[in-house]
Amino acid sequence: MHALTRIALAVSLLGAATLAQAKPLVVCTEASPEGFDIAQYTAATTADASAETLFDRLVDFKPGTTDIEPGLAERWDVSEDGMTYTFHLRKGVKFQTTDYFKPTREFNADDVMWSFMRQYDAKHTWHDKAQHGFPYFEAMGLQNLIKSIDKVDDYTIRFVLNRPEAPFLRDMAMGFASIYSAEYAAQLEKAGQFDQLNFKPVGTGPFIFSRYTKDAQVRFKANPEYFEGKPPADGLVLAITLDSNVRLQRVRAGECQVGVYPKPDDIPAIRKDPNLKLAEGEALLIAYVAMNTEHKPLNDVRIRQALNLAFDKNAYIKALFGEGNAVPAVNPYPSTLLGYNRDIQDWPYDPEKARALLKEAGMEKGLKLTVFTRSGGGPTNPNPALGAQMLQADLAKVGVQLDIRNLEWGELIRRAKQGEHDLLFFGWAGDNGDPDNFLTPNLSCDAAKSGENSARWCNKEFNALLDKARTSQDENERAELYKQAQVIFHNDAPWIPLAYPKLFNVMRSNVEGYHLSPLANNNFATTYAK
């Protein structure tokens, strides 16, 4: 039903749009993709330009939800002990034909094996060819979770785990689990062109990569052989536009049909403009400031607690998000997810107590810290410069001198992963609707080793609770374990949790077929302008 439903939708949209839509859909995006081999990256911008356009996964999220539905696997079986997952693959799926690759066969189990084994097997020819590693796979500890990956036959793949893993099926719908062409990889390997996987991508997805002009645009053609139906738009252009004001201007001028993440204070005017409309909703988002616990004196919990007490979070939220567009963050994931601990009280704004803690930690004469923030605004940080200045001003009141470093998004991620920052304005968009996706990639010990945990925080007790929660098949038990983990997080204070923002995208009034995802990813396979 999944494929047939999507095809029927695409066909009906295409019928409505064929005469009017002669041009590609143009979307003003907020940053450049880091590359197109999504297994190497975690940024949402990169996922939108790769996982959501070029690739598919064994399972998908139903558009606009966190519900799982079939993807490249038409069905699957899970053993009673929760340790064996058998995926039955869809037949007749074609890889994209480009000017640099002409497939000679359809998608099959060999492609699934290649896509996962290069991440899983350290001896795989392609394992060390990924310049940036496999951050999701590593941060989530999948190399220790998975016991084996086996090709049962040409259209059946079996994953055997070392222990039950409650979010495993949802994990398989995430971008890092995208399926690549093993035939294309063999062609690149034979030519010694391993790096081309990241720059000349090939998948089974709704759009075919055309070209990328760095920091300007990414162009895609509609895939006429997409197994869920050709997209109704004639193609897709991601027009990279760092400034949210400019993105909105370009949508108003008709240069872009969609603009991602308008500033919250522009929302009232957008609502009143008859030529525009909003996609809006609750999202699995958190904004936070990570404190690098490997840097002295941030390795002292008293310092971290003091910084939480010194920042006027409510003033920050009002200034950056406006009325009703975000709520204060207390815990490391939003309240809509399993096990959110409502008993934990947020750090109050208390400069006097912050000064007392700094004095107790031997910092009564003050200290100097550096904060990294991004140059362009996004949903978790709509006005990076203002936010950093507010933090700087508040910390100055308690004797902390803050040096602000404003960095381009890709450079920010690279330097943060290397641990160069003291403080880091950052955010996270949930990938699968499970609490583990917020906790393990961002706060686990494995993630601290890989650099994805930007607080570089490794708490063994916290980690043990995450491990136990992942293995439990009992939702009530998982919820209780997550509540305990959040108490540890709060007391140890590796972050200043900032906000749970709402999600907004602006578009021309004639745009149809777009589904706002609570996961904050953007898929335009069914979107078109009338």
Side-chain angles (χ1 to χ4, degrees), residues 7 10-11 14 206 221-235 525:
I7 290 171
V11 169
L14 184 59
K221 296 180 291 186
N223 183 359
E225 298 183 310
Y226 187 44
F227 74 96
E228 293 188 334
K230 180 183 177 182
D234 194 44

Side-chain angles (χ1 to χ4, degrees), residues 140-153:
M140 295 167 68
L142 293 178
Q143 66 274 19
N144 298 318
L145 169 67
I146 298 171
K147 182 178 181 180
S148 65
I149 308 172
D150 305 303
K151 174 184 173 181
V152 178
D153 58 43

Side-chain angles (χ1 to χ4, degrees), residues 328-340:
V330 179
N331 297 318
Y333 61 79
S335 61
T336 52
L337 294 182
L338 177 73
Y340 184 87

Side-chain angles (χ1 to χ4, degrees), residues 464-483:
L465 290 168
L466 300 194
D467 290 344
K468 189 174 181 181
R470 284 199 305 272
T471 63
S472 175
Q473 304 298 308
D474 184 327
E475 293 283 271
N476 292 328
E477 181 185 26
R478 291 189 77 208
E480 182 56 36
L481 292 167
Y482 288 135
K483 287 179 180 179

Side-chain angles (χ1 to χ4, degrees), residues 26 42 48 51 83-84 143 146 160 169-170 194 200 213 234 256 273 300 307 314 341 346 367 404 422 459:
V26 182
T42 60
D48 285 355
M83 293 171 64
T84 302
Q143 66 274 19
I146 298 171
V160 180
L169 197 58
R170 290 180 176 274
F194 293 93
K200 292 185 175 181
T213 304
D234 194 44
C256 296
D273 191 329
D300 189 327
L307 297 188
N314 288 325
N341 194 330
D346 198 5
L367 70 151
I404 299 171
D422 292 325
N459 182 295

